Amino acid sequence: MPDIESLLTEKRTFKPDPAFVKQANWNRRKAAELRELGEKHPKRFWAKMAKENVTWFSPWKKVLDWKPPFAKWFVGAKTNVSYNCLDRHLDGPRRNKAAIIWEGEPGDVRTLTFAQLHREVCKFANVLKSQGVKKGDRVALYMPMIPELAIAMLACTRIGAPHNIVFGGFSAEALRDRIEDAGAVAVVTADAGWRRGKPLPLKDAVDNAIEGVESVRSVVVVKRCGPEVPMRAGRDHWWHELMADASAKCPPAKLDAEHPLFILYTSGTTGKPKGILHTTGGYLTHVTTTAKAIFDLKDEDVYWCTADIGWITGHSYVVYGILANGTTSLMYEGAPTTPGPDRFWDIIERHGVSIFYTAPTAIRTFIRLGDEHPKSHDLTSLRLLGTVGEPINPEAWMWYHRVIGGKRCPIVDTWWQTETGGIMITPLPGAVDTKPGSATLTFPGVKAAILSEEGNVVKPPNGGLLAIQQPWPGMLRGIWGDPKRYRETYWSKWKNPKDTYFAGDGAHKDKQGYFWIMGRVDDVMNVSGHRIGTMEVESALVSHAKVAEAAVVGRPDEITGTAIVAFVTPIGGTEAGDTLVAELRRQVTKEIGAMAKPADIRFTDALPKTRSGKIMRRLLRDIASGKETAGDTSTLEDLSVLAKLRESDEG
Ligand code: WTA
């Protein structure tokens, strides 16, 4: 793991600014107390957080029921997520405060106060009921970043119908897989969403995706961009028409703490994405507590997380964790560089954003675009910055600190996953010194370690596998419909110590106990913070008639972190050239989505394999990243010679 060496040279440490510490929700003393409680009595710690940060309709009988690998948190308690995000803010001064400030890509702005959002959510909950959606039914949401997406989510949770959000960048094929696997009964979508000045069609994809899918009875369509879309009578309905007649009264369902809240699909090491299941009470406790402590949320903040709600970051920290704290959440529909490279900084200035949470890929893109763009805007409203989704290189961290944060804003580098539900490793901005490139320490109540393949604790500063050693409230409750895969993927890496969660990331700890995340160690690539399975791209490629075999690996990329490289063996007699490259890239776009398009496609007579027939991925990774040359890279190459040289090496 060669990355370790370079990271170890990072010696810079930043202490929290005294002015920040003074006003922090969790200062050093409070953080130390809670950390100690979390270490000695994790269940007591989380129960305390659950009482302080969540409103319950009835209390739990037991904090945790842990029958590894199946956990139940706050057993027997009842609550409702939409009640916590909305109703409980209506009796005080938050009632008429902005819950969502939304900006569309063309520049249109809408503000919804907590009272207004509550009204819309109640109405849409009644719309869902009118469409026959019942408690426990799954609803697929395939939408642009518009307020109706947040409204639909909250409406689902209000009536106890788990949502299954599919990022708008996924293709019709990918959408169909997710709708089918979840058995969704309804789909909420839009005609299109704005992206780089053009409408990105969504309803078309839905039509293709649900053709012949029996579970789907109803499609609700938001009119966003205005293009003509075919509406099938009896099945398709306009959002605005249904809402016009809907009552604004809808009491929140009193749901069991373990009632399913949502399913979110994520890539794994096989071709089939996993439906990660999250439930109500534990997830809400985890995201509300972490948001308050890590983002230091205050009533006067305007908080902006740039993630699309289609990913876990948007679920937990655009919507649920933020609104549950009564904080104003800014939502932006479009591309970061439309109409110009300063769009983000312009938004921050105009809306007075005080907390900004984004991905390292975005930061690296902005560095390349030039300092003049942020410098031409007043960014002094910012008081805290965050990053998520990928390892951040120290130089990008320093730029973020200097150019965006004006050297006064703490940076929280937050490590977590779709599976963890909420943030797990992170600085507490008023209490933990930061080091550029390190996610620092576990959140109180979370226990993590670096283990070897054999399960031994790896001594600092050596690299190993990141493991979570005890259950936490926001943890996934399983893979939808596949308990066996759940156990095998996450809980079977080590026999000893058993019942330990395998995150799929490599990491190391320094002598001070700080965590440094090094990236995925399985066959999952992290491209611009989006998880894409090598197997998914491979199966998209081999579904093309001219492809005999394909292997996909990641190579390091300065901007996107990882870039996708495909090695393809065409069927005999096929001309391997630019035309085929273009066709294959279209194929991947069709099967998965544009974000999974390989950056490089290289043709080879045969894929390098071990004698037992395993593809030699490490060799391919070395070739892809230029560590090992294979002659002319643009033409057919025979990798079997290299394979022979390396065979003993790969095993
Ligand atoms: C990576 C996103 C380094 C990691 C919330 C993880 C990170 C995967 C960080 C999960 C970070 C996330 N530093 N790497 N601060 N945060 N990752 O499920 O590889 O989309 O396993 O969840 O992103 O991606 P996911």
Side-chain angles (χ1 to χ4, degrees):
M1 296 190 178
D3 290 0
I4 304 173
E5 296 302 323
S6 61
L7 285 171
L8 279 180
T9 60
E10 183 53 60
K11 293 258 161 53
R12 290 169 285 202
T13 300
F14 294 83
K15 291 204 177 317
D17 187 78
F20 188 96
V21 173
K22 237 169 105 186
Q23 59 81 62
N25 287 345
W26 287 23
N27 56 24
R28 275 188 204 269
R29 205 184 39 161
K30 178 160 182 184
E33 274 170 28
L34 290 173
R35 199 177 287 289
E36 194 183 321
L37 179 63
E39 259 162 44
K40 290 198 177 129
H41 308 286
K43 283 189 277 185
R44 245 187 259 168
F45 166 80
W46 285 114
K48 181 176 160 67
M49 293 301 112
K51 272 195 197 126
E52 282 178 13
N53 299 321
V54 170
T55 308
W56 303 84
F57 300 138
S58 56
W60 53 85
K61 295 189 183 72
K62 201 174 167 192
V63 176
L64 171 67
D65 175 45
W66 178 225
K67 296 196 178 67
F70 300 99
K72 289 186 185 143
W73 280 87
F74 309 115
V75 182
K78 297 242 181 316
T79 186
N80 182 288
V81 172
S82 86
Y83 179 90
N84 275 272
C85 291
L86 302 168
D87 307 55
R88 67 168 169 163
H89 307 311
L90 298 184
D91 293 335
R94 285 178 184 160
R95 180 180 176 83
N96 297 318
K97 158 184 169 174
I100 293 178
I101 298 176
W102 171 81
E103 185 162 311
E105 195 185 76
D108 40 344
V109 172
R110 273 166 71 190
T111 300
L112 286 145
T113 64
F114 279 95
Q116 289 169 330
L117 184 60
H118 174 259
R119 191 181 153 79
E120 295 298 304
V121 167
C122 288
K123 284 170 72 176
F124 196 67
N126 284 324
V127 165
L128 289 172
K129 286 190 203 164
S130 77
Q131 296 302 305
V133 177
K134 299 208 167 51
K135 180 173 155 183
D137 285 348
R138 276 79 60 209
V139 178
L141 312 180
Y142 184 65
M143 299 173 76
M145 280 287 282
I146 53 178
E148 285 79 0
L149 173 50
I151 293 167
M153 295 165 80
L154 289 159
C156 284
T157 73
R158 197 156 189 92
I159 63 172
H163 54 69
N164 162 23
I165 306 184
V166 182
F167 171 58
F170 277 112
S171 69
E173 294 292 327
L175 177 61
R176 172 195 286 267
D177 291 346
R178 287 157 176 76
I179 288 175
E180 272 186 327
D181 190 79
V185 303
V187 181
V188 185
T189 188
D191 52 358
W194 290 108
R195 196 77 196 168
R196 294 192 188 85
K198 290 201 206 79
L200 176 82
L202 294 166
K203 172 65 165 59
D204 285 352
V206 170
D207 287 340
N208 291 329
I210 64 176
E211 193 58 53
V213 177
E214 273 171 26
S215 62
V216 179
R217 296 188 298 257
S218 163
V219 178
V220 182
V221 188
V222 179
K223 205 182 208 52
R224 165 66 187 139
C225 300
E228 279 286 317
V229 291
M231 298 289 281
R232 186 179 295 181
R235 187 196 70 183
D236 301 352
H237 312 271
W238 287 109
W239 171 291
H240 57 273
E241 287 175 5
L242 295 175
M243 287 290 268
D245 302 329
S247 147
K249 278 211 170 54
C250 179
K254 296 195 160 104
L255 301 174
D256 192 89
E258 283 299 332
H259 187 74
L261 175 63
F262 64 83
I263 303 167
L264 179 61
Y265 285 82
T266 191
S267 294
T269 52
T270 72
K272 188 172 148 26
K274 302 172 280 195
I276 302 300
L277 174 67
H278 284 287
T279 59
T280 300
Y283 171 84
L284 184 61
T285 300
H286 190 156
V287 298
T288 307
T289 305
T290 46
K292 186 174 184 175
I294 298 162
F295 300 126
D296 194 49
L297 301 177
K298 300 283 186 340
D299 257 316
E300 37 305 355
D301 278 314
V302 175
Y303 163 96
W304 182 21
C305 165
T306 66
D308 192 288
I309 291 175
W311 307 106
I312 190 69
T313 305
H315 285 61
S316 301
Y317 301 110
V318 175
V319 182
Y320 294 131
I322 307 306
L323 296 180
N325 277 292
T327 305
T328 302
S329 186
L330 190 139
M331 255 176 98
Y332 169 60
E333 176 186 32
T337 50
T338 304
D342 64 336
R343 182 64 185 264
F344 272 18
W345 322 123
D346 184 45
I347 291 177
I348 291 175
E349 179 173 7
R350 274 186 296 106
H351 294 289
V353 172
S354 54
I355 302 169
F356 181 62
Y357 190 35
T358 196
T361 288
I363 297 168
R364 290 189 292 261
T365 306
F366 292 128
I367 295 175
R368 184 169 284 188
L369 289 170
D371 292 10
E372 63 273 25
H373 306 298
K375 285 199 170 136
S376 67
H377 290 277
D378 179 2
L379 303 181
T380 51
S381 58
L382 290 172
R383 65 180 194 90
L384 186 144
L385 303 174
T387 76
V388 59
E390 312 152 69
I392 183 163
N393 45 312
E395 289 333 298
W397 194 102
M398 287 304 298
W399 182 88
Y400 200 30
H401 166 73
R402 218 169 10 88
V403 181
I404 307 306
K407 298 190 186 162
R408 70 184 178 277
C409 302
I411 296 180
V412 290
D413 172 355
T414 61
W415 177 88
W416 57 296
Q417 308 178 297
T418 304
E419 293 86 342
T420 69
I423 296 168
M424 302 291 278
I425 303 180
T426 177
L428 294 167
V432 173
D433 298 353
T434 51
K435 301 183 191 185
S438 169
T440 73
L441 306 173
T442 49
F443 190 77
V446 171
K447 197 171 170 212
I450 311 293
L451 301 183
S452 67
E453 283 285 341
E454 297 73 36
N456 302 317
V457 173
V458 171
K459 277 215 191 80
N462 295 322
L465 306 171
L466 182 60
I468 313 288
Q469 297 167 297
Q470 68 195 16
W472 64 100
M475 68 187 266
L476 76 166
R477 298 302 196 266
I479 295 176
W480 186 253
D482 202 345
K484 188 162 156 264
R485 189 174 178 199
Y486 167 65
R487 188 189 289 275
E488 280 167 6
T489 308
Y490 301 110
W491 301 96
S492 304
K493 178 79 189 169
W494 300 284
K495 290 230 158 44
N496 186 20
K498 70 177 180 37
D499 307 332
T500 299
Y501 174 85
F502 171 56
D505 276 322
H508 72 103
K509 252 185 181 186
D510 65 18
K511 295 217 164 76
Q512 261 184 295
Y514 275 43
F515 286 87
W516 300 77
I517 312 293
M518 290 147 55
R520 304 289 311 189
V521 293
D522 54 6
D523 290 327
V524 173
M525 298 167 291
N526 193 330
V527 181
S528 303
H530 301 160
R531 271 166 72 168
I532 297 169
T534 54
M535 287 281 284
E536 281 172 81
V537 184
E538 286 167 7
S539 49
L541 289 167
V542 298
S543 69
H544 190 282
K546 290 180 191 152
V547 174
E549 220 179 3
V552 167
V553 296
R555 69 158 158 77
D557 182 275
E558 240 179 77
I559 299 286
T560 60
T562 303
I564 302 178
V565 181
F567 292 85
V568 171
T569 308
I571 56 162
T574 305
E575 193 187 331
D578 291 349
T579 321
L580 187 55
V581 167
E583 268 180 45
L584 294 180
R585 299 184 87 218
R586 268 201 302 278
Q587 177 78 5
V588 175
T589 305
K590 179 173 156 281
E591 296 286 324
I592 306 171
M595 72 274 189
K597 261 192 309 210
D600 310 335
I601 295 183
R602 296 165 60 164
F603 297 109
T604 166
D605 282 340
L607 290 171
K609 288 185 187 153
T610 60
R611 233 165 292 166
S612 58
K614 263 186 22 198
I615 291 176
M616 298 169 75
R617 289 180 178 281
R618 199 140 51 88
L619 172 61
L620 292 179
R621 273 196 288 272
D622 286 351
I623 295 170
S625 60
K627 280 187 204 140
E628 188 125 18
T629 52
D632 182 353
T633 58
S634 58
T635 53
L636 286 174
E637 50 198 6
D638 183 354
L639 298 176
S640 54
V641 182
L642 269 176
K644 286 210 178 72
L645 289 170
R646 283 280 292 268
E647 178 142 31
S648 51
D649 213 35
E650 298 253 342

